[in-house]
Amino acid sequence: MKIFKVTWRYFINSLQQNISGPTVFLMFFVSKFIRYTLFISFLYYLSSGVKLIGGYTWEQMLFFYLVFILVDTVVQMFFREVYRFRPLVISGGFDMVLAKPFPPLVRCLLGGPDYIDLGVLVILLAVVSYFTSVYIRPSFPQLLLFFLMLGNTLLVATAFHIMVLAIGILTLSVDHLIMVYRDLTALVRIPVGLFTEPVRSLITFVIPVGLMFTFPAQTLLGLLSWQIIAVSLTFGIAYLFLSLKFWSYALKQYSSASS
Amino acid sequence: MRKYLTVFAIDWQNQFIYRLNFILWRLRNVLRVLMTYFLWTSIFSSQTSVFGYTREQMVAYLLLALFVNSLVASAPSNDNVGGEVSNGTLNNFLVKPIGYLRYWFTRDLSSKLLNIIFAIGEIALLYLLFRPSLYVSPSIMSILLLISAVIIYFLLGKLAISIVFWAPEQTWGLMFIVLVLMEMLTGLIFPLDLLPRWAFSALQFTPFPYLIYFPLISAIGRPVAFRFLLQSLFWVAILYYLVKKVWAKGLKTYSASGI
């Protein structure tokens, strides 16, 4: 219960920080809005010259992209503190985190959510809901599976960020690692099915960005078999377990050299 | 001039300190090209020509875009100048006989040289994988367009960052808008002449197509009217004037409050 209370306090503190700078909030909102609008316009324009992109219709491509933005926005919003981890380790500030009676992993993962994306998220949820009800019209079981796969996506995203934190402890020279993750996720702005082997398998199960971003949309579109869904869920749990082990290992290696 | 050569030499050596960091930065560039490559490959799987481009032409364009982007967009100044002004480090430069922006331009050039060397290696590797029919025919025009692109990018970045003098917390917000626009409007992920004529014409009134698209198509031997070089130089002149004015005003308000 204490963990929830303290985490809630972190959330409130971050929110107060965010709303103290409304101009920055507006700038990022506008930038993100421009980014998404431009890419959607690009996809739409492509559809005027190309009927099917790798077997997908324009509506399906758009849906994949909308789900991509949705997942990406939620993950970025909650795990923003990971982006500030390297300076924390280098400055010795991480010692203070370790010395406090609060799980350092929760502090480093959820200690500084970024509500700048909240505006985008609200609009996005409305657009995805509208698009799903008008163009996809899924059955109730499909909808349930979609939320299950979304949950699995968040599980894998958590595991991914834990790995990044652990590597951040082991090798201080990495400050681009989280950005590499961002670029890897940007790969699957288009469905993972458009990639050829071995890249497709690599980004589905080794670096599971395909599993994270494409599978929920495929589930809703009815394009994913139950076997693949079962494998994905098992993989998600295994990946989280491995990342927690890796975090424990990294913590044991931490030498507090910079403090 | 000698002091800037020394800055260049020192920065060149500095770049080899965080080697893993640099390799990850390069990996990020390759990942961006991969997403675009697979998107276009999927499009060309059902037709031989899209908006007048064949698959080979498109792949060649994307590979060369990686090279031009490495040359133009590798600018550590964009990540550092805002921070140095807001935390007061700028003081160290103001009391030294060295131009602050020239100092950073020199460091950017050093970074560009290293990035180009790596980009050539990456393009060679991607060439072996994808085997596109690459045709490069650099001319004086293309070299001038490239030089102009490098200067436009530097000045554009500094103009966006100069907001730091008045609103330090909003520095990254404005730069983020520039980067978002660059993502889609420079020709990095598709040749801009794919766009409808009106959109392509409208873009010519912005600095973005002069950053990647025009230098690139000129380098692959496609005719580029002389007026585009003049327009590019016109942007250099406008941005130079604006940066000079804005920085002069900014320095008058600068109070080294971070110290």
Side-chain angles (χ1 to χ4, degrees):
Chain A
M1 198 61 199
K2 188 188 78 179
I3 293 178
F4 286 109
K5 267 188 176 173
V6 176
T7 310
W8 181 248
R9 177 45 54 194
Y10 282 134
F11 278 35
I12 297 292
N13 289 349
S14 291
L15 184 63
Q16 284 174 344
Q17 251 179 4
N18 281 150
I19 57 177
S20 68
T23 319
V24 183
F25 191 90
L26 194 71
M27 269 185 184
F28 275 93
F29 177 76
V30 170
S31 320
K32 296 252 167 137
F33 194 75
I34 293 173
R35 170 184 272 176
Y36 301 143
T37 309
L38 284 176
F39 197 77
I40 289 172
S41 310
F42 170 60
L43 286 179
Y44 179 73
Y45 182 63
L46 269 183
S47 73
S48 68
V50 186
K51 284 206 166 65
L52 291 174
I53 301 176
Y56 294 107
T57 61
W58 135 253
E59 285 84 6
Q60 287 175 325
M61 286 293 285
L62 180 60
F63 187 65
F64 277 110
Y65 185 56
L66 287 174
V67 173
F68 164 82
I69 309 172
L70 182 71
V71 172
D72 189 46
T73 306
V74 170
V75 170
Q76 264 197 77
M77 201 169 92
F78 283 108
F79 296 144
R80 180 56 73 172
E81 191 65 4
V82 175
Y83 292 70
R84 307 178 189 115
F85 186 61
R86 185 177 178 251
L88 193 71
V89 175
I90 286 179
S91 64
F94 189 53
D95 291 4
M96 300 297 288
V97 173
L98 290 174
K100 284 175 183 158
F102 186 73
L105 181 58
V106 181
R107 160 70 179 78
C108 298
L109 272 179
L110 298 170
D114 192 346
Y115 297 95
I116 275 176
D117 289 332
L118 196 62
V120 175
L121 189 65
V122 171
I123 295 175
L124 204 57
L125 279 171
V127 173
V128 171
S129 306
Y130 173 78
F131 197 89
T132 306
S133 60
V134 172
Y135 292 99
I136 315 284
R137 292 183 195 146
S139 62
F140 185 66
Q142 269 177 325
L143 210 57
L144 275 184
L145 277 175
F146 172 69
F147 284 115
L148 187 69
M149 290 303 278
L150 267 187
N152 192 50
T153 294
L154 293 180
L155 212 66
V156 178
T158 308
F160 219 110
H161 283 79
I162 295 173
M163 293 259 191
V164 169
L165 289 174
I167 295 171
I169 291 177
L170 295 173
T171 160
L172 297 177
S173 69
V174 178
D175 65 357
H176 277 301
L177 193 63
I178 190 68
M179 297 317 286
V180 172
Y181 158 77
R182 296 297 314 281
D183 287 329
L184 277 167
T185 58
L187 274 179
V188 284
R189 277 187 286 180
I190 56 173
V192 75
L194 298 192
F195 293 85
T196 51
E197 293 292 354
V199 179
R200 187 189 303 167
S201 298
L202 190 79
I203 60 172
T204 304
F205 291 112
V206 182
I207 310 161
V209 286
L211 185 153
M212 288 165 65
F213 291 92
T214 301
F215 279 17
Q218 279 184 323
T219 312
L220 202 63
L221 291 167
L223 300 173
L224 217 57
S225 67
W226 67 266
Q227 290 96 332
I228 296 281
I229 293 175
V231 169
S232 307
L233 294 173
T234 316
F235 184 85
I237 294 164
Y239 200 61
L240 183 66
F241 176 75
L242 280 176
S243 67
L244 287 170
K245 285 274 168 206
F246 188 44
W247 169 255
S248 303
Y249 168 77
L251 270 188
K252 282 176 194 154
Q253 305 300 313
Y254 179 64
S255 62
S256 185
S258 52
S259 48
Chain B
M1 186 65 190
R2 260 182 69 183
K3 57 193 171 193
Y4 294 107
L5 283 175
T6 310
V7 168
F8 187 95
I10 292 171
D11 191 71
W12 176 259
Q13 289 171 27
N14 266 341
Q15 293 183 79
F16 292 96
I17 298 174
Y18 296 115
R19 288 182 290 271
L20 184 58
N21 226 7
F22 180 77
I23 290 166
L24 287 174
W25 157 249
R26 289 309 315 167
L27 178 67
R28 293 183 60 195
N29 284 279
V30 175
L31 286 175
R32 283 176 200 159
V33 174
L34 279 183
M35 190 281 283
T36 326
Y37 169 77
F38 282 108
L39 175 64
W40 283 109
T41 303
S42 305
I43 291 168
F44 281 107
S45 65
S46 56
Q47 51 203 95
T48 51
S49 166
V50 177
F51 299 111
Y53 275 82
T54 64
R55 182 184 179 280
E56 285 70 28
Q57 284 174 329
M58 189 59 77
V59 174
Y61 179 91
L62 295 174
L63 283 188
L64 290 170
L66 173 69
F67 177 83
V68 177
N69 189 47
S70 298
L71 180 69
V72 174
S74 58
S77 60
N78 287 343
D79 299 328
N80 293 284
V81 169
E84 287 190 346
V85 175
S86 61
N87 67 24
T89 312
L90 179 64
N91 289 4
N92 295 333
F93 294 91
L94 295 180
V95 294
K96 285 174 188 165
I98 192 165
Y100 181 64
L101 291 181
R102 286 193 190 119
Y103 162 84
W104 269 111
F105 188 63
T106 311
R107 289 191 64 175
D108 281 0
L109 290 180
S110 150
S111 167
K112 286 175 200 301
L113 181 63
L114 191 63
N115 274 281
I116 288 170
I117 293 168
F118 271 76
I120 290 170
E122 290 153 13
I123 289 169
L125 199 71
L126 292 171
Y127 178 81
L128 290 175
L129 279 174
F130 305 140
R131 300 270 175 196
S133 50
L134 271 185
Y135 174 72
V136 184
S137 127
S139 57
I140 293 177
M141 173 85 145
S142 57
I143 292 167
L144 288 175
L145 279 166
L146 264 176
I147 294 171
S148 177
V150 167
I151 300 171
I152 289 175
Y153 185 67
F154 179 79
L155 295 171
L156 199 60
K158 299 310 134 323
L159 190 62
I161 287 171
S162 60
I163 195 174
V164 69
F165 288 111
W166 295 274
E169 69 284 354
Q170 283 158 27
T171 317
W172 179 236
L174 210 56
M175 193 63 217
F176 189 69
I177 293 179
V178 172
L179 291 176
V180 162
L181 292 173
M182 271 196 69
E183 204 174 73
M184 292 297 289
L185 305 181
T186 54
L188 182 61
I189 63 173
F190 62 92
L192 296 177
D193 55 357
L194 292 190
L195 293 171
R197 185 173 286 273
W198 64 266
F200 184 53
S201 302
L203 265 182
Q204 289 167 25
F205 290 99
T206 73
F208 299 110
Y210 305 99
L211 290 171
I212 289 177
Y213 175 73
F214 282 118
L216 201 161
I217 59 160
S218 171
I220 57 175
R222 291 181 67 165
V224 175
F226 184 67
R227 74 180 169 92
F228 290 116
L229 176 62
L230 290 180
Q231 281 168 214
S232 179
L233 293 174
F234 177 70
W235 272 110
V236 171
I238 285 184
L239 288 167
Y240 180 76
Y241 175 78
L242 286 175
V243 168
K244 226 173 151 144
K245 282 274 171 199
V246 173
W247 271 76
K249 281 210 165 206
L251 283 173
K252 278 182 189 161
T253 62
Y254 176 67
S255 58
S257 54
I259 291 287

